[in-house]
Structure formats: C-alpha cells, structure tokens
Amino acid sequence: MADLRPNSTVRLRKGMDAGTLADSISNHLKYTLAKNRHTASPNDRFLAVAYAVRDRLVERWMRTQDWYYHRDVKRVYYLSMEFLMGRSLGNSLLNLTLEQSCEKALRSLGISLDDIAELEADAGLGNGGLGRLAACFLDSLATLSYPAYGYGLRYDYGIFHQRVADGFQHEEPDPWLRLGNPWEIARPENTIRVKFFGRSDGWTDEQGRRRFRWVDTHDVLAMPYDTPVPGYGTDTVNTLRLWRARAVEEFDLKEFNVGEYVGAVQSSVLSENITRVLYPRDEAQGGKQLRLQQEYLLVSAALQDAIRRYKKTHDDLRGFGEKNAVQMNDTHPALAIPEMMRLFLDEEGLDWDPAWEATRQVFGYTNHTLMPEALEQWSVDLLGRLLPRHLEIIYEINRRFLLDVAHRFPGDFDRLRRMSLIAEDSERKVRMANLAVVGSHSVNGVAALHTELLKKNVLPDFAEMYPGRFNNKTNGITPRRWLSLSNPDLADLISLVIGKGWKRDLTDLRGLRAHAKDPRFRTRWGEVKRRNKERLAASVRRTLGLSLNPEALFDVQVKRIHEYKRQHLNVLHVIALRNALRDGRLGDVPPRVVLLAGKAAPGYALAKLLIRLAAGVAEVVNRDPAMKGRLQMAFLPDYRVSLAERIIPAADLSQQISTAGKEASGTGNMKFALNGAVTIGTLDGANIEIREEVGSSNFFLFGLTAEQVTEERRRGYDPKACAASQPDLQRALDQIAAGEFSDGDRDLFKPLLDSLYSRDEYMLFRD
C-alpha cells in the first residue's frame, strides 16, 4: 500500500512530462470528445486539457482514499451551503507543479495555456466570503494531508451573472454547467434517499421503549458528484462531494397515457428544483420552503453518507464521534444536529443519551455573523410541515436543555426565554444558532474581536453556561491561489529571495523584512505591481471601454454589496475628493483610480441603489475634464473569483471600512495584504490582526472602535447634526440630493439618503 503522507513518492502511470501530457490531451480530444483539430471548438480544447490534468489527479485520488480506509483514520466533514471554488485548471496545475509541462505541451499543439484557462467557467457554487473560506479550507486540508471531505450542493445555476446597464444591476442566469464540468465524476451508485413531509408515527418496541417512524413521506434522491481537491506539495487528493436532487420516479406513465403530459413529469421537476438555484429568493413562502429543503437535503445526504462509510469498518455507532468530526459552516447546516439524532434513534436504534453524547462529540459550529437579524430562524409551522420528526426532536432537545438551564440558574425565567431553541414571538420560530451551540462541543468565531463580541453581545448566556465551548479561529486564505496563482510574478520574486517554503508556511514571509530596503528588490517589486495594473487596465478597457491610468494609486473595494460594508462611505469620499480637487484645496497629490465591485442580493433594494450611486458618481468623475490625470472611478461588473484574481494583485490601497463590530472577519482584507496592498480600515474583524502583523505604521486606521459605536448609540446619535457639522460631507450629500449623479433625478437616491438621515445605522456620517 503506497504511503500518501506529505512528501511520499508514488510511482504513477500517468506521465508528468510535456510530451506525455500532449499525447494525453490529443487522445482526449479524439477518443473522449470525438473531435479533431478541424472540428474541435475552443471549449473542446479546454475540456481535453482538463481531462488530461484530471487523469493525473485520479490515481493519487484513489490511493489517498485507499490509504484513509486501510489506516482507519479519523475523518473531517465540512458542511457548507457554499464552496466558491473559482476555476480549477490553474489551481490543479499549480498544486501538481505541472504548469511548465502543460504550457510546453500546449505550445507543441499550437495552443496558449492562458487562452485555454480563460475558457473555464467559474464554478457557480457560492456568493461571497463564506464560500471562498470553505474553498480555501479544502485546499489547506489537502495540503496538510488531513482526511477531509467537503459536502455541498451541486447547483445548476450560480448566484447570477451581474450586468450593469445605465448604472443599475441586472441579474442574468449563471448556467455554469451548460458546457459540462470536466472535474466532476458522477457517483449514481452512492445515491441517497432523503425524506420530506409525511408524519411521525410513534410505537413501542419489544423492550418497551418508545420509538418513532417517519412515514408517508415524499422522497427525493440525492445523487453525488465528486470533485478531486489536490494538496500542494503532497500526493494527497481529497474530495468535494456535491449533491444533486433527483426524483425517485422521474416519469409517471399512467398520467402520460391519460393525456396528463405535464403531470407525468411534475414530480421530477419539483424534486430537481431543490438544487436548481443557489439562494432562491425567499420573500415568498415557496422560496423559504425551497431554501429549507436545500439545507436539509445537504445535511441528510451528507450524514447518511458518513454513517455508511463508517459502518464499512465499524459496528458500534456509539463510537462514531471518535472517528468522525463534522464542522458546520454557519447555521445553514444546523439541521444536521436533529438529523444525526434521528438517524441514531430511529434508524440505528440507539437510546437518547448515547445518541446525544455521540452527536455533541461530532459537531463543531462556526459562527459568521454579529448581526442578530442575520441569525437564521425557521418558522415552526414550516419546519413542522416539511420535517415533522425533526421538530419533535428539536422540542425534546429544548426540553432537556431548558431543564439544565433551570437547574444551573434557578428562578431566572428571562434567561430561559432568551436561551430557548424556540422564539416565542408573534410567530414561533426555531433559533438555529441556539440549536447549533447546544448541539456542538465547540463554537468558534472567525476573528479575535468577532469571538469576543460573540461571547459578549450575541450569545452571552451560552458563553456563561459553556465557557469552555467558545474559542476563536481567525479565518485564513490559501497562499497558493491568492498569491502563487493570481500573482505569479510576485510569487516568483518572493521565492527568488526567500525560497518557496512560504507556499506551505506563510510565516516564512517574515524573511522579506531583510530585503525591504534593498533598492533592487524594491524596484523589481514596483515593476511587478506595474505589470499587474496594466493587465487589469487592459481588462477594464475591454469590458468598459475605460482607459485607466496605471501610474495612479489603485484604490480598491471589492466585496458583497451591503450597507454595513459601507460602499457608500467610499463613494462619499470620492465626491468629497473631487470637490477638493476642483476647488484646488489638495495641491499636488498622487493620481487615484477608485475601483468598486460586488453583487447585491436581488431583493436588497438599498444595496442595488448603492451600485447605482457608485456608477453615477463614476460617470460624472470620468467625464469631468478637471479630473483628467487626477481621479478616475469605475464599478467593475460581475465580481467573481476569476475577476478577483485579476483585481487584487493590482491594488495599491485596500478599502476595509465596515462599521467596527459588524464584520465577523473578512478574507478579502487578507488577500489584498498578501499581495502588497496597504489597508485603509477600521478596527473591525481580522483588520485588527492584520494591523498587529504589519505594524500600525503600515495601516491607515480611521473610524470608531466597536466600543465607541455602542457608546455613541447609547448617548443618542443624531445623524443630521453630525452631517451638518462637516461641510465636505454635507456638500456631498446635497449634491446627491440635487441629482448631480442621477441625471437631475432628485428622487432616485432619496431612499438611501432618508435611511442615512433618519438613523445612519452603520455610522457613515460619524466615520
């Protein structure tokens, strides 16, 4: 049995040299795709290259799984509704150290690797930091040779393609699977049945124990598709398993024969809708139900799969927690807790106490939000109708838990209300964060400040009751994709002076300090930055027809559009900067290019208005002759991983300006810092730890602290008075109100201004 631990040597049948790789590509074009050089489309050529690279993953992949099986390792399962993987070709070549061979092989075939790489669609499996974090975790787990599996959903359509026309966001479908996904392998033999609806039927077994069956259900099949996840510098290849919903009976012949053609396939359509779209709009009840079905399909299929794998070599389910760890990425997979209890109790015959002990031993919960309104809750009526057995189990977990609370804190009835898993408001709801904390042995925040605020403000009762359960795990990013792959020139320069060890251990970057004052190194660093800016400028010219000045400071804010991330604070600064430049108040300052990008949720009206404001200000700035060579601005549409890989290496300044105490961590801040951009930021999330690492002199700090935000609110914050006390701010606001950035329309931005003047929830005026 080959040893696949890091740095092991395995004799593989698939050659890694350019000649063998070129033959493999040609063979896939001919025998897999049935094309020749005359009939092959550009996508056919991409597929042939991808299949050839995948071949070189498969043997390692199979050996890795065999090694895990024969060594009976403890396995890690990472449950996430999002895996924002981006493109896989470049990452696979990097982790296989196959870039040069592939480039040479393609050159011999008259093909450019850069052109081929651009043909790959970004995998439509996520939206923002939550999904990108999950993708980085998978890369790092494989690189460190942990026996780990990612579990998610195989969405037919991603979040959406964003088109910006006349300044407004327009959403278009993202059919990322339309031309095929060469990295996935379907596993129909491992399809799992998932139940919905029906009723819970109680009965008494021969030992006199009360048991339950979930009956009269509407079942859906979850079919797995596996994607290899290679580690860097190791032969380990782990697995991302994504589930696709399929109907149990795809076609009703009886209905078809009586002329009910639509009814004949209706069940199939309804079942498969579950994994059709990432984040269905949930304003209506149907959207809420679909979202809940997505969450349950993921956890039920994943846990049944994990138990099936465990039972291959073990008989006693009570030891499941000793060989398995399940990490829940936010509350979306929190239904895994009652589902695990259902499987242990109803399917495996365990009694409550050993089932609960094993369940809590298995689960860990990562919290990603400090905003109470963002903590997930589900209607008791909806959950009870869709998952009746689970609601029973949640009620029983809650009953036992509240007895424990009452014992620990006698007479504190308000605490019982606050800590209950059920919110007894106008509509009774299940508090998924409370459920996740109660059912896990470990609860972590994702930055030092976030974890402290989580314990102090969001879940203080739970932190008091379970002080040893809460811990911090500051988010991270993989340096392979976010420096080696996205910024190869800088990666090569760093490796030239300190070696390549930093690709596995970022603390090696401290070796750069010795070169910080070396004129030759600084010159080469500047040349790399200039080339990256020129590449981004060329991309912007192609997409927007705007010629950016690569000599300018590139001032960048790219992230999901949300009020607390405060893109409008950035835009207000641009307006004030333009005014100051026109007034001649700034003198000789470096030219600046301000770039924003990000998607707004389709139903989030104010966020979409922020995009319109940014686009309106950009239009005015760019056509102002007085700004030529001094200030430019652009909103870059359709932000995604592949676009981020082009933007981040070009940035000089990184805008990380969320209201202190609102951003859990952030990972974009880390990507910019890793690529040499200086942060303009508040003391929020991981900004604090970045500042500690780079030093306060290398971090442009501004704004209130989290404590000051709370104190300002307590004293009675008056947004109108705050704005009136700052002439530059008030002037910018008046210009917006006068329609200067909306073609004279004074009403367009009124909802945005009203929200700021009435409350300014995120303290823009104060900061």
Side-chain angles (χ1 to χ4, degrees):
M1 186 63 220
D3 188 348
L4 287 182
R5 289 172 296 185
N7 304 318
S8 66
T9 301
V10 179
R11 184 177 299 278
L12 300 169
R13 296 178 62 188
K14 292 293 181 182
M16 305 292 279
D17 60 283
T20 307
L21 189 57
D23 289 342
S24 184
I25 294 168
S26 298
N27 286 336
H28 275 296
L29 192 64
K30 182 176 182 179
Y31 296 111
T32 305
L33 300 168
K35 296 289 183 72
N36 60 34
R37 61 190 181 91
H38 303 294
T39 60
S41 68
N43 188 66
D44 291 326
R45 294 187 176 92
F46 158 69
L47 290 174
V49 174
Y51 286 133
V53 175
R54 192 186 75 177
D55 285 348
R56 282 143 184 82
L57 292 173
V58 165
E59 202 161 354
R60 291 170 170 80
W61 195 11
M62 294 172 67
R63 287 174 180 266
T64 299
Q65 303 311 312
D66 283 346
W67 193 82
Y68 293 163
Y69 177 79
H70 287 286
R71 296 298 179 97
D72 192 24
V73 296
K74 183 174 183 178
R75 301 168 193 261
V76 177
Y77 297 106
Y78 196 79
L79 271 57
S80 180
M81 289 292 285
E82 296 186 41
F83 285 94
L84 196 56
M85 304 298 286
R87 294 167 170 168
S88 291
L89 177 58
N91 193 67
S92 297
L93 292 174
L94 173 72
N95 282 4
L96 289 170
T97 61
L98 201 56
E99 304 121 302
Q100 291 183 356
S101 291
C102 188
E103 195 166 7
K104 186 177 178 181
L106 288 174
R107 199 161 48 240
S108 73
L109 298 171
I111 302 171
S112 161
L113 176 57
D114 288 342
D115 291 344
I116 286 291
E118 283 298 312
L119 294 171
E120 183 174 3
D122 283 51
L125 300 171
N127 177 36
L130 183 87
R132 189 53 237 172
L133 174 72
C136 286
F137 264 129
L138 293 188
D139 179 271
S140 293
L141 286 163
T143 297
L144 296 171
S145 293
Y146 280 101
Y149 302 77
Y151 276 125
L153 295 180
R154 182 183 180 271
Y155 303 104
D156 293 341
Y157 294 88
I159 183 69
F160 57 82
H161 282 307
Q162 180 193 54
R163 183 171 59 86
V164 177
D166 299 322
F168 290 98
Q169 170 178 293
H170 298 270
E171 300 93 26
E172 297 179 347
D174 174 21
W176 71 284
L177 291 167
R178 180 173 60 91
L179 296 176
N181 176 12
W183 305 105
E184 67 181 12
I185 296 176
R187 307 288 194 192
E189 71 278 8
N190 290 328
T191 294
I192 286 174
R193 185 178 290 254
V194 178
K195 299 179 178 182
F196 293 100
F197 301 105
R199 59 186 177 84
S200 178
D201 179 37
W203 57 288
T204 303
D205 67 12
E206 3 359 309
Q207 284 82 39
R209 298 176 300 178
R210 190 65 175 163
R211 296 293 186 188
F212 293 88
R213 287 180 287 243
W214 189 7
V215 299
D216 300 333
T217 56
H218 172 78
D219 295 358
V220 173
L221 299 179
M223 179 174 165
Y225 289 75
D226 289 352
T227 298
V229 180
Y232 174 81
T234 174
D235 287 314
T236 297
V237 178
N238 283 337
T239 303
L240 169 62
R241 174 160 284 191
L242 304 174
W243 303 97
R244 178 190 177 193
R246 301 295 302 270
V248 174
E249 296 179 2
E250 296 190 4
F251 191 82
D252 190 325
L253 187 60
K254 289 182 180 178
E255 294 226 23
F256 182 83
N257 286 335
V258 297
E260 292 293 335
Y261 308 121
V262 175
V265 296
Q266 186 174 20
S267 176
S268 174
V269 171
L270 291 175
S271 296
E272 295 185 7
N273 276 346
I274 295 174
T275 53
R276 192 77 70 196
V277 180
L278 170 67
Y279 290 149
R281 293 185 65 161
D282 60 0
E283 292 89 349
Q285 190 67 12
K288 288 184 173 65
Q289 176 176 304
L290 185 56
R291 177 67 173 166
L292 187 57
Q293 285 180 294
Q294 288 183 336
E295 294 185 1
Y296 179 64
L297 183 87
L298 165 61
V299 302
S300 181
L303 294 183
Q304 290 187 65
D305 198 44
I307 289 174
R308 173 193 59 78
R309 189 174 292 115
Y310 173 81
K311 289 172 73 172
K312 285 183 177 180
T313 52
H314 301 86
D315 297 322
D316 189 352
L317 264 295
R318 287 173 295 188
F320 186 79
E322 297 172 7
K323 285 293 184 180
N324 298 277
V326 179
Q327 190 68 27
M328 299 180 293
N329 194 24
D330 217 355
T331 56
H332 310 133
L335 284 169
I337 292 167
E339 172 66 1
M340 183 67 88
M341 287 296 290
R342 183 190 73 83
L343 292 170
F344 281 161
L345 295 171
D346 300 354
E347 304 295 332
E348 303 296 338
L350 269 63
D351 290 329
W352 183 279
D353 288 341
W356 183 243
E357 182 179 349
T359 295
R360 287 199 28 206
Q361 187 181 12
V362 164
F363 285 108
Y365 161 49
T366 298
N367 174 281
H368 282 278
T369 185
L370 287 166
M371 295 186 286
E373 66 272 18
L375 292 175
E376 197 175 28
Q377 298 187 48
W378 285 107
S379 158
V380 164
D381 290 341
L382 173 60
L383 202 150
R385 181 164 51 85
L386 192 69
L387 305 169
R389 178 62 181 133
H390 296 76
L391 185 59
E392 286 182 346
I393 292 171
I394 290 169
Y395 278 150
E396 182 60 16
I397 293 171
N398 196 41
R399 183 187 72 81
R400 292 170 181 250
F401 168 65
L402 291 181
L403 286 174
D404 192 19
V405 175
H407 176 73
R408 294 276 301 277
F409 305 97
D412 193 343
F413 299 110
D414 195 50
R415 181 185 293 267
L416 291 173
R417 178 189 59 78
R418 295 193 306 266
M419 298 184 74
S420 175
L421 307 189
I422 310 297
E424 304 283 353
D425 299 321
S426 55
E427 181 186 16
R428 300 176 76 228
K429 294 183 176 181
V430 178
R431 295 164 166 159
M432 303 308 286
N434 293 20
L435 174 62
V437 173
V438 171
S440 300
H441 68 273
S442 174
V443 178
N444 72 279
V446 289
L449 175 65
H450 170 242
T451 299
E452 288 309 305
L453 293 176
L454 190 66
K455 293 189 290 185
K456 181 180 177 182
N457 298 338
V458 182
L459 298 166
D461 295 316
F462 291 93
E464 183 180 1
M465 186 164 176
Y466 304 122
R469 191 171 299 185
F470 285 76
N471 58 89
N472 181 59
K473 299 288 186 296
T474 297
N475 280 346
I477 56 172
T478 165
R480 272 77 63 185
R481 181 179 289 269
W482 292 110
L483 185 49
S484 292
L485 183 61
S486 63
N487 199 347
D489 290 348
L490 182 57
D492 289 345
L493 176 59
I494 292 171
S495 296
L496 181 67
V497 297
I498 65 169
K500 296 182 179 181
W502 62 269
K503 294 184 181 183
R504 288 182 60 90
D505 184 355
L506 271 179
T507 60
D508 281 10
L509 289 181
R510 291 176 180 146
L512 289 174
R513 289 173 177 163
H515 303 271
K517 295 183 180 180
D518 179 351
R520 186 164 177 266
F521 177 73
R522 289 159 69 105
T523 298
R524 295 185 67 177
W525 184 287
E527 290 169 350
V528 167
K529 181 65 70 174
R530 171 65 186 239
R531 287 196 295 273
N532 288 331
K533 291 162 84 167
E534 289 173 347
R535 277 193 283 267
L536 177 59
S539 174
V540 171
R541 189 163 52 248
R542 287 193 301 270
T543 55
L544 299 180
L546 177 66
S547 295
L548 302 182
N549 175 15
E551 297 289 341
L553 288 171
F554 277 25
D555 182 346
V556 183
Q557 186 183 24
V558 291
K559 53 186 72 237
R560 182 167 48 91
I561 307 297
H562 198 290
E563 290 168 273
Y564 88 80
K565 294 178 185 290
R566 302 201 296 191
Q567 284 90 353
H568 39 348
L569 179 57
N570 193 359
V571 174
L572 285 168
H573 173 253
V574 174
I575 298 171
L577 182 60
R578 172 178 176 256
N579 290 337
L581 288 168
R582 288 179 64 87
D583 295 346
R585 289 186 281 125
L586 286 184
D588 186 21
V589 296
R592 183 182 299 234
V593 172
V594 178
L595 301 173
L596 292 92
K599 294 178 180 179
Y604 192 173
L606 279 180
K608 297 175 87 167
L609 206 53
L610 290 182
I611 294 175
R612 177 63 182 87
L613 177 61
V617 172
E619 183 181 3
V620 170
V621 166
N622 295 334
R623 73 183 180 207
D624 184 347
M627 295 299 104
K628 186 168 183 166
R630 307 173 79 189
L631 180 64
Q632 291 178 288
M633 182 179 178
F635 185 90
L636 307 182
D638 207 24
Y639 186 58
R640 58 203 184 278
V641 173
S642 57
L643 182 56
E645 291 170 355
R646 188 169 291 143
I647 293 172
I648 290 170
D652 296 298
L653 301 172
S654 164
Q655 294 267 2
Q656 307 297 331
I657 57 175
S658 54
T659 311
K662 297 297 182 182
E663 182 74 83
S665 171
T667 55
N669 48 8
M670 304 173 192
K671 294 162 193 167
F672 281 105
L674 185 63
N675 282 271
V678 183
T679 304
I680 302 170
T682 51
L683 287 178
D684 196 30
N687 287 356
I688 297 170
E689 287 144 282
I690 290 175
R691 185 169 180 259
E692 290 171 354
E693 288 294 326
V694 304
S696 59
S697 61
N698 297 311
F699 188 105
F700 292 104
L701 176 66
F702 84 100
L704 301 175
T705 65
E707 294 78 10
Q708 289 169 336
V709 168
T710 301
E711 178 61 20
E712 190 89 6
R713 284 289 180 204
R714 189 190 64 78
R715 289 190 312 203
Y717 171 57
D718 184 349
K720 287 185 178 179
C722 186
S725 69
Q726 303 175 72
D728 284 347
L729 171 60
Q730 189 61 64
R731 180 181 174 187
L733 293 166
D734 291 344
Q735 288 171 298
I736 295 171
E740 187 168 334
F741 308 107
S742 51
D743 298 320
D745 186 344
R746 294 170 176 264
D747 295 324
L748 180 60
F749 297 121
K750 190 173 184 300
L752 191 56
L753 293 173
D754 286 348
S755 73
L756 292 173
Y757 280 128
S758 64
R759 180 160 173 76
D760 188 14
E761 175 71 22
Y762 300 107
M763 310 292 272
L764 271 76
F765 294 171
R766 182 63 180 78
D767 274 1

